[in-house]
Amino acid sequence: AIYQAPTLAPVSEFRAFMSRIDGISLRKSLTIEKHFGGSIRRAVNAPRSEWLKVDGIGEVLATHIENVLEGCV
């Protein structure tokens, strides 16, 4: 299990879900949440090309996210 330090402000369900993926920090999860409008469904169903539009998500991380989220569909 990966250690995550407690936060001072409550973290949304979306950010908690996304930050469990290796390579996505709580900070990066905020950017992702804004991009997908807080919809886990939109994020999970998004193609790799959509993930590449998110600031801070490159080729390698987009591929990793796609592979991890395939199991969620």
Side-chain angles (χ1 to χ4, degrees), residues 3-4 9 14 16 21 26 30 32 35-36 41-43 47 51-53 57 59 65-68:
Y3 172 76
Q4 287 189 330
F14 182 96
I21 299 172
L26 276 175
L30 179 58
I32 296 167
H35 182 85
F36 290 107
R41 181 176 300 212
R42 280 188 57 211
W51 281 98
L52 288 170
K53 295 176 185 176
I57 305 288
E59 297 278 341
I65 292 168
E66 184 178 53
N67 290 336
V68 169

Side-chain angles (χ1 to χ4, degrees), residues 4-34:
Q4 287 189 330
T7 60
L8 297 176
V11 175
S12 69
E13 182 180 337
F14 182 96
R15 291 181 66 200
F17 176 81
M18 288 296 154
S19 65
R20 288 188 188 110
I21 299 172
D22 288 338
I24 298 179
S25 64
L26 276 175
R27 180 173 290 177
K28 193 172 287 186
S29 72
L30 179 58
T31 303
I32 296 167
E33 182 177 46
K34 288 178 181 177

